Amino acid sequence: NKYTSADIGNEMLEVMALTVLRGIASSIRGRKFTVMVDETTDSSTKEQCVIVLRWVDHDLVAHEDFIGLHDTPAANAANIVRIIRDVLLRLNISLDDCR
């Protein structure tokens, strides 16, 4: 079956992930939010940053949404800020609403 190859499966997962991210971004856009970042080094000594956005909806329900795991050449402030700005730009979320 041509729809069961690994490439097709990975492509379908990527499309679904982007759909979820677009929905999260749409929910956050125009609201105040915070950014939570944690750096980790995996077993191959590759440094990565986890990005989570926390926000509150109209019903005062708090949400913490995993946005992604991003490679970073070094876990210093300049690289982490660059990653945060890039993520928010890609999601079309204004940094001015960050608290």
Side-chain angles (χ1 to χ4, degrees):
N1 189 342
K2 65 182 181 176
Y3 296 110
T4 59
S5 75
D7 290 340
I8 295 296
N10 288 336
E11 187 174 334
M12 290 173 66
L13 286 173
E14 188 174 332
V15 168
M16 287 186 274
L18 289 173
T19 301
V20 169
L21 279 176
R22 284 187 192 112
I24 291 169
S26 176
S27 297
I28 295 172
R29 220 170 275 123
R31 299 179 192 274
K32 304 302 182 205
F33 65 94
T34 60
V35 178
M36 296 183 288
V37 179
D38 191 20
E39 181 274 335
T40 186
T41 303
D42 67 13
S43 59
S44 67
T45 67
K46 183 177 182 180
E47 293 182 355
Q48 297 178 319
C49 288
V50 174
I51 307 279
V52 174
L53 299 181
R54 182 175 172 87
W55 58 283
V56 177
D57 66 20
H58 288 300
D59 296 322
L60 301 178
V61 176
H63 300 266
E64 288 184 359
D65 294 314
F66 172 78
I67 300 302
L69 192 60
H70 302 272
D71 293 336
T72 180
N76 57 43
N79 282 329
I80 293 171
V81 168
R82 180 187 53 76
I83 291 168
I84 292 169
R85 287 180 183 213
D86 181 62
V87 166
L88 294 178
L89 178 66
R90 289 172 189 267
L91 295 175
N92 194 24
I93 296 174
S94 175
L95 187 58
D96 293 338
D97 290 328
C98 184
R99 297 291 179 254

